[in-house]
């Protein structure tokens, strides 16, 4: 008896905890424009789907109860195996629901496409802050080309200013994810993906890799500090104080596999470093992918067809 | 780069859990083999099972393999869940990344390829020939070979527990992580070769069942009079035939990368890892339909029986299946909406994915209206079915949410996704297969599994599932990604503890299932393995042909091939009150047993092992051995078969008729 009591207390406490700690759900408590739109979509689609799912769940239980074998009063139609009217509704109701959701989905995909610049009504016309992100084994390198600084495992960005994150990876496929700000986007080797985000509030938001990339994957976390313009400038000034320079040799050194890297700053980033990472020509003497493609295209039609490859690295604006 | 084959026994020496598990497995295996030899069962095991080409026996062997692999896969799940509940914040759990990462990979691979797929083929094997009124499958030897290749794959993947490592790459092994640069040891090679074996076996199985269903139906059974389970098998096997070759080709490319320095998926030499992601998901998405459509088929058989009523909307079911067959090839990109493919691509695949949910939803309504105005009996198979309907619509809900690409950007690779696919795979696939398992068990053995334990098993799985997976949705929304060996935020611990509780409730469900089987085995032992002829229709209200023959069915299934005129063939026979025929039989021609499948399987197993460890002379030897066995069987094997004399048939059918008559009087 004592045990049962203890167990039920434990369960009661656990359920309460679950409900109470429900107030920190990153995806449902967004702080950015994109993530807020995504949250709206999630909530709307959930509610729409409930309109179908709840009745079905209720129907299973009610039919099971009502038409149980021992209830001889219930109607029994052993040979009834079809009804055009019912079958019509069976197809039409899901089709209607899916049509609504399809329109919704298409609208949002269009509106939130990560590579698109955010509308001026949302982000104003302040110049976009550009960050070039590289997923390394197992840490993040963030290069700020407009400021000539770079960091490991830390992002600072002014609240209210649009941020463009270009991303790639050195080895395995990773994904960039700040749940409170916006979508997951793959950071892939040889590729360049673009993500536009904006944070509306000051705060520190957790970010991490969202695609398994090997032994140190669990530790690939970073903080996104959304701060005032003054604090941002102060932070840039601090980063510029760093004696570390990020040239190609330093990059290759950093790219060695390691775990639990502390936040680090670099002042002075070699021009074109990010371009070279994407095109896999950091090591001196290697030919960049883009160049290889051009050579291949010039050689033959086959080469031309196969080299529609354009990672599309955005240079500093 | 170091030698990939160095240090094969490292894990045994360094990780005590691995050592003890391996010791335990070896001890149990030795005991089992010794027991079989001492009791003098070897001869009968060899004659009646290992070399058997009887589809019913092969079906049972597949199911046994699946149950063992379920326990293995579930043990992995317990380890992951208990580890994660301890590995938050300051806690570090008890599994280092090198080990944890192998476990989730092995769990995923084993559950999909060596638990669900064998269970599926077990049911196909046992049920399909009986349902279409055939005496066996089209290619009985191929069937035996498929089983032994699957078996070889399952053993190979389990050898990786002790000798070397398994891959640490996730169940679809994205390169470059799974290439030589990301995974220099032999873990990924175990992955590749065990799945190649299972892939060959599954593809051959699909050919076998397609031919069987198209060519061997009883006279009168047109396609539109075939039971829905067989229809679902047609679609499922057609999918297998189209997708497994894609996966196997991708594995061949990866093999070339890893063994011969090719550059299909490498980062250098103009390789392109993204192509792999497309290959595996062109396979991977239809694969979920391979598993789930037969689950729908099972429900369409079980629900009418326990509602004592015809299936609602038979032809709508078939159309829904065919629509899914086509559409399932047009949705694979929903597994990487986060790749940045652009508006057009994402919109197309998002909408296609939603459209495919329509035929799926229609099926749910079909079962509901089958229950409607029926007489529902709460036997274990029906409980599983109702649990499936109730749970699967929930999984469908989150599935549709995932199909909205812009919403998926918040769910991709998170715990939310893991919760979703377990929701559909446990609620949809496992519940249905278990329904089929308890439903057809009395057909296979002539007696039912223990009912109380069956009900307990259902409720434990059902409740356990919700406790184990609902908190996962919440942590997913909080920002937990999948495949995490450690979490920074200690506040999530309470969720993980609740999930562990859920997993142990499921464990009780699995335990009840195993107990049911143990009771059944004890029952069988008491009878010294001579199961008496049981009555045809142990559940009452059976509708399709498998219920028209004795339980267990005689080796030849049908003494005279039945004549079919409606969809529910056996129901029709009962309505017409057709008596069981007891005289005028012809001798029945049967295919002979053969050991060739077994030997080819053994050679394939050693071949796989030798390939993993680069032992080239053994590779040659086993390859020659396998091919030689095959050629020997083709040229010198016994292809004439044998006849079961008419008198023997008559004896069985008379005993069966007596049982039936007694049943009717009682
Ligand atoms: C019976 C209860 C089960 C439990 C408790 C369980 C638990 C888990 C856990 C903890 C993970 C790792 C999730 C993560 O990466 O964070 C996982 C992954 C997975 N499970 Fe299960 N599972 C169960 C049954 C199944 C079944 C029946 C199947 C398939 C038939 C299945 C297929 C998978 C797959 C494919 C993965 C992904 C592996 C990967 O990340 O590569 N599971 N499961
Ligand atoms: Cu890509
Ligand atoms: Cu899919």
């Amino acid at each position: 008896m004592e045990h049962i009591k203890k167990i039920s207390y434990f369960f009661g406490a656990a359920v309460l905890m679950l409900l109470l700690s429900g107030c920190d759900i990153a995806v449902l408590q967004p702080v950015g424009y994109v993530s807020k739109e995504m949250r709206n979509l999630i909530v709307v689609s959930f509610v729409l789907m409930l309109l179908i799912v709840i009745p079905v769940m209720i129907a299973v239980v009610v039919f099971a109860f009502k038409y149980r074998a021992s209830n001889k009063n219930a109607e029994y139609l052993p040979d009834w195996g079809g009804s055009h009217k019912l079958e019509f509704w069976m197809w039409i109701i899901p089709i209607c629901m899916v049509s609504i959701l399809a329109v919704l989905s298409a609208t949002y995909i269009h509106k939130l496409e990560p590579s698109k610049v955010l509308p001026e009504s949302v982000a104003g016309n302040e110049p976009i802050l550009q960050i070039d992100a590289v997923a390394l084994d197992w840490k993040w390198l963030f290069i700020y080309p407009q400021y000539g600084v770079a960091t490991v495992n830390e992002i600072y960005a002014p609240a209210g200013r649009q941020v463009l994150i270009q991303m790639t990876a050195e080895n395995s496929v990773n994904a960039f994810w700040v749940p409170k700000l916006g979508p997951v986007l793959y950071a892939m080797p040889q590729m360049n993906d673009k993500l536009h985000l904006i944070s509306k509030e000051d705060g520190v938001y957790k970010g991490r890799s969202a695609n398994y990339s090997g032994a140190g994957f669990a530790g690939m976390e970073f903080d996104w500090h959304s701060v005032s313009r003054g604090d941002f400038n102060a932070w840039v000034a601090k980063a510029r104080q760093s004696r570390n320079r990020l040239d190609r040799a330093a990059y290759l050194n950093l790219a060695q596999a390691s775990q639990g890297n502390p936040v680090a700053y670099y002042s002075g980033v070699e021009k074109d470093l990010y371009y070279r990472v994407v095109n896999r020509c950091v090591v001196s003497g290697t030919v960049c992918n883009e160049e290889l493609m051009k050579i291949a295209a010039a050689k033959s039609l086959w080469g031309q067809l196969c080299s529609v490859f354009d990672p599309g690295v955005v240079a500093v604006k | 780069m170091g030698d990939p084959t160095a240090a094969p026994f490292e894990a045994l020496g360094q990780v005590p859990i691995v050592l003890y598990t391996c010791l335990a497995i070896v001890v149990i295996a030795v005991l089992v083999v010794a027991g079989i030899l001492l009791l003098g069962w070897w001869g009968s095991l060899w004659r009646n099972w290992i070399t058997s080409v009887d589809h019913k026996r092969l079906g049972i062997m597949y199911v046994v393999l699946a149950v063992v692999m379920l326990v293995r896969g579930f043990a992995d799940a317990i380890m992951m869940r208990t580890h994660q509940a301890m590995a938050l914040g300051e806690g570090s759990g008890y599994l280092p990344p090198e080990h944890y990462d192998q476990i989730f990979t092995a769990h995923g691979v084993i559950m999909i390829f060596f638990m669900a797929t064998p269970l599926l083929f077990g049911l196909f094997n046992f049920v399909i020939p009986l349902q279409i009124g055939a005496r066996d499958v089209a290619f009985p030897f191929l069937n035996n070979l498929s089983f032994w290749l699957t078996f070889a794959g399952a053993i190979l993947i389990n050898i990786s527990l002790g000798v070397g490592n398994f891959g640490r790459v996730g169940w679809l092994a994205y390169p470059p992580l799974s290439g030589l640069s990301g995974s220099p040891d032999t873990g990924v090679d175990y992955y590749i070769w065990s799945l190649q074996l299972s892939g060959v076996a599954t593809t051959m199985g699909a050919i076998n069942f397609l031919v069987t269903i198209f060519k061997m139906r009883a006279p009168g059974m047109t396609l539109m009079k075939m039971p829905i389970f067989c229809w679902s098998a047609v679609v499922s096997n057609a999918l297998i035939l189209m997708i497994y070759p894609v996966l196997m080709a991708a594995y061949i490319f990866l093999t070339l990368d890893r063994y011969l320095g090719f550059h299909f998926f490498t980062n250098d030499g103009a390789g392109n890892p993204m192509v792999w992601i497309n290959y595996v998901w062109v396979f991977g998405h239809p694969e979920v339909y391979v598993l789930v459509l037969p689950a729908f088929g099972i429900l369409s058989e079980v629900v009418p029986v326990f509602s004592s009523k015809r299936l609602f909307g038979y032809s709508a079911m078939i159309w829904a299946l065919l629509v899914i067959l086509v559409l399932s090839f047009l949705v694979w990109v929903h597994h990487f909406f986060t790749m940045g493919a652009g508006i057009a691509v994402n919109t197309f695949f998002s909408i296609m994915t939603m459209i495919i949910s329509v035929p799926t939803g229609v099926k749910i309504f079909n079962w509901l209206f089958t229950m409607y105005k029926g007489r529902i009996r709460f036997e274990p198979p029906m409980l599983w079915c109702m649990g499936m309907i109730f749970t699967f619509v929930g999984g469908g809900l989150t599935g549709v949410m995932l199909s909205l690409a812009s919403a998926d950007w918040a769910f991709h690779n998170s715990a939310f996704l893991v919760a979703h696919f377990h929701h559909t795979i446990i609620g949809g696939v496992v519940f249905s297969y278990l329904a089929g398992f308890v439903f057809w068990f009395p057909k296979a053995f002539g007696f039912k599994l223990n009912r109380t334990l069956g009900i307990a098993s259902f409720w434990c799985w059902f409740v356990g599932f919700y406790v184990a997976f609902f908190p996962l949705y919440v942590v997913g929304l909080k920002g937990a990604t999948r495949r995490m060996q450690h979490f920074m935020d200690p506040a999530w611990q309470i969720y993980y503890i609740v999930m562990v509780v859920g997993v142990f409730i499921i464990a009780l469900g699995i335990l009840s299932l195993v107990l049911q089987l143990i009771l059944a085995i004890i029952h069988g032992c008491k009878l010294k393995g001579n199961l008496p002829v049981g009555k045809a229709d142990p559940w009452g209200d059976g509708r399709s042909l498998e219920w028209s023959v004795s339980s267990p069915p005689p080796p030849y299934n049908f003494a005279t091939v039945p004549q079919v005129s409606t969809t529910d063939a056996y129901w029709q026979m009962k309505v017409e009150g057709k008596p069981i025929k007891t005289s005028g039989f012809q001798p029945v021609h049967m295919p002979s047993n053969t050991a060739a499948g077994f030997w080819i399987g053994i050679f394939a197993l050693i071949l796989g092992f030798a390939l993993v460890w680069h032992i080239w002379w053994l590779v040659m030897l086993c390859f020659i051995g396998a091919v030689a066995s095959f050629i020997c069987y083709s040229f010198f094997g016994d292809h004439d078969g044998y006849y079961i004399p008419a008198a023997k048939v008559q004896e069985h059918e008379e005993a069966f008729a007596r049982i039936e008559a007694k049943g009717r009087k009682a």
Side-chain angles (χ1 to χ4, degrees), chain B residues 281 284-286 288-289 331-332 334-335 353:
Chain B
W281 284 115
H285 186 84
V288 307
Y289 287 101
V331 299
W332 80 92
H334 65 211
H335 293 278
T353 307

Side-chain angles (χ1 to χ4, degrees), chain A residues 67 69 76 105 186 193 210-211, chain B residues 308 339 350 376 412-413 488 495:
Chain A
Y67 300 109
Y76 177 42
S105 182
Y186 278 0
D193 253 355
N211 194 69
Chain B
S308 304
M339 206 186 243
S350 170
I376 299 169
H412 183 78
N413 271 353
M488 295 296 171
Y495 293 89

Side-chain angles (χ1 to χ4, degrees), chain A residues 37 41 61 66 71 80 102 111 114 154 191 198 230-231 247-248 277 280-281 297:
Chain A
E37 292 289 327
L41 179 65
V61 178
K66 181 146 181 226
N71 180 10
W80 182 66
K111 190 159 147 192
E154 184 177 80
M191 301 239 182
I198 189 165
D231 287 354
D247 52 17
R248 283 151 73 178
V277 173
R280 304 201 72 77
C281 45

Side-chain angles (χ1 to χ4, degrees), chain B residues 9 20-21 45-46 48 52 66 107 144 185 246 256 260 272 295 361 396 412 419 476 518 554:
Chain B
F9 299 109
Y20 294 129
T21 316
L45 193 67
W46 177 261
N48 293 331
S52 172
H107 167 81
N144 174 290
D185 64 13
V246 177
L256 291 173
L260 297 173
N272 186 346
H412 183 78
I518 291 178

Side-chain angles (χ1 to χ4, degrees), chain A residues 212, chain B residues 70 73-74 76-82 84 100-101 103-113 115-117 169-173 291 413-415 418-419 421-422 425-427 429-430 433 461 464-465 468-469 472 480-485 487 496 499 502-504 506-507 510:
Chain A
Y212 173 70
Chain B
L70 173 67
F74 187 69
D76 289 335
I78 292 183
M79 293 217 276
M80 286 189 286
R81 275 281 160 269
T82 46
Q84 281 190 323
Y100 182 83
D101 298 350
I103 296 180
F104 65 68
T105 309
H107 167 81
V109 171
I110 286 180
M111 282 298 201
I112 300 278
F113 294 98
M115 191 287 283
T117 310
V169 288
W171 79 285
L172 283 178
L291 295 179
N413 271 353
S414 73
V418 176
F421 73 70
H422 283 87
I425 232 167
I426 293 181
V429 175
V430 176
Y433 286 12
W461 268 95
F465 162 74
F469 288 97
L472 205 53
T481 35
R482 68 193 288 198
R483 298 174 177 166
M484 291 283 280
Q485 186 266 343
F487 292 103
Y496 282 91
M499 287 187 255
V503 170
F504 280 100
I506 297 181
I510 294 183

Side-chain angles (χ1 to χ4, degrees), chain A residues 18 21 24 27 64 67 69 75-78 81 90 105 171 184 186 189-191 193 208 210-212 221, chain B residues 101 168 176 267 271 274 308 310 313 338-339 350 365-366 373 376 378 406 409 412-413 477-478 481 484 488 495:
Chain A
L18 284 180
S21 56
D24 179 30
V27 169
Y67 300 109
E75 200 176 347
Y76 177 42
L77 297 177
M90 256 162 59
S105 182
N171 288 322
V184 174
Y186 278 0
Q190 312 180 46
M191 301 239 182
D193 253 355
R208 60 161 296 110
N211 194 69
Y212 173 70
E221 307 211 333
Chain B
D101 298 350
R168 284 152 295 193
N267 275 336
M274 290 330 120
S308 304
R310 255 180 80 183
T338 51
M339 206 186 243
S350 170
F365 289 120
N366 277 315
K373 301 199 174 168
I376 299 169
F378 301 118
S406 319
W409 295 337
H412 183 78
N413 271 353
L477 292 173
K478 280 168 170 282
T481 35
M484 291 283 280
M488 295 296 171
Y495 293 89

Side-chain angles (χ1 to χ4, degrees), chain B residues 648-666:
Chain B
K648 205 132 181 235
V649 175
Q650 177 141 6
E651 190 186 329
H652 178 91
E653 295 301 311
E654 276 172 358
F656 171 47
R658 273 197 302 279
I659 296 282
E660 283 296 283
K662 211 162 75 194
R664 217 160 287 151
K665 251 178 268 155

